[in-house]
Amino acid sequence: MKKDIQVRYEYFKNSVELSDIEKTLLERAKQARENAYAPYSNFLVGCSILLENGEIFSGNNQENAAFPSGLCAERTAIFWVAANFPNEKIKKIFIVGGPREFNVKNPPIPPCGACRQSLIEYETKQNENIDLYFSSMNDEVVKVNSIKDLLPFYFDATFL
């Protein structure tokens, strides 16, 4: 038997189409990106997270000369949020990434596989979808209504 998987997403050509809170999250992710420590890859990523209580927190990628020891922006941000606000629901996550030298041709950058798996952990923990946005530096934005849209065959605690 063969089955198809369809992913529903929204595409925004630029930030003008975003709501005020989405614009704020985009700007906070861009600001976080500027502080990324990425001397090896020169690929800077920023992430902002909106909590149910209205607070916004951000993170960025942190590299290390021992490459596997670094951490992506999404995991930096979500781990900090989870450690400090373990019972607060995450409503939205916004990611902005791209090479240090901005090129208008860079497409919106989605989270890597490890980040998708980490993000799905918190979505399943809170039993509520998290709106996920990923963007290029020229404000093209892709939005999915759940991390599951990017990782349909996800692994979670039900397998343990």
Side-chain angles (χ1 to χ4, degrees):
M1 174 185 343
K2 292 185 181 183
K3 294 184 177 187
D4 292 326
I5 295 174
Q6 293 183 347
V7 175
R8 185 173 302 274
Y9 65 93
E10 292 179 65
Y11 171 79
F12 302 92
K13 188 170 180 139
N14 57 56
S15 62
V16 174
E17 301 176 58
L18 300 175
S19 71
D20 288 343
I21 191 62
E22 292 165 341
K23 288 176 187 174
T24 298
L25 289 165
L26 172 62
E27 288 308 311
R28 293 285 296 273
K30 282 183 175 181
Q31 290 168 3
R33 179 185 175 275
E34 292 303 313
N35 294 323
Y37 180 69
Y40 307 106
S41 70
N42 287 307
F43 194 86
L44 309 177
V45 182
C47 177
S48 60
I49 296 177
L50 174 67
L51 299 181
E52 188 172 50
N53 67 10
E55 292 188 79
I56 298 172
F57 297 96
S58 58
N60 48 42
N61 57 318
Q62 298 293 310
E63 293 183 350
N64 189 292
F67 282 110
S69 298
L71 198 60
C72 299
E74 299 92 312
R75 288 181 285 152
T76 299
I78 204 161
F79 292 163
W80 189 91
V81 165
N84 291 281
F85 297 90
N87 299 314
E88 195 70 37
K89 287 189 176 181
I90 297 167
K91 302 305 284 181
K92 299 178 184 294
I93 298 175
F94 217 110
I95 304 159
V96 177
R100 185 181 307 277
E101 298 302 320
F102 170 65
N103 180 338
V104 75
K105 294 180 182 179
N106 292 120
I109 307 296
C112 73
C115 286
R116 292 176 195 207
Q117 182 62 46
S118 294
L119 296 174
I120 201 76
E121 182 73 20
Y122 295 97
E123 187 173 273
T124 57
K125 176 185 175 226
Q126 71 184 30
N127 198 29
E128 187 175 303
N129 289 352
I130 298 171
D131 291 337
L132 178 70
Y133 304 76
F134 50 96
S135 177
S136 64
M137 286 301 294
N138 62 355
D139 295 350
E140 282 181 86
V141 177
V142 173
K143 176 194 176 196
V144 294
N145 295 321
S146 170
I147 314 304
K148 295 174 189 118
D149 291 332
L150 296 182
L151 193 62
F153 291 106
Y154 60 92
F155 180 86
D156 66 9
T158 62
F159 293 101
L160 301 178

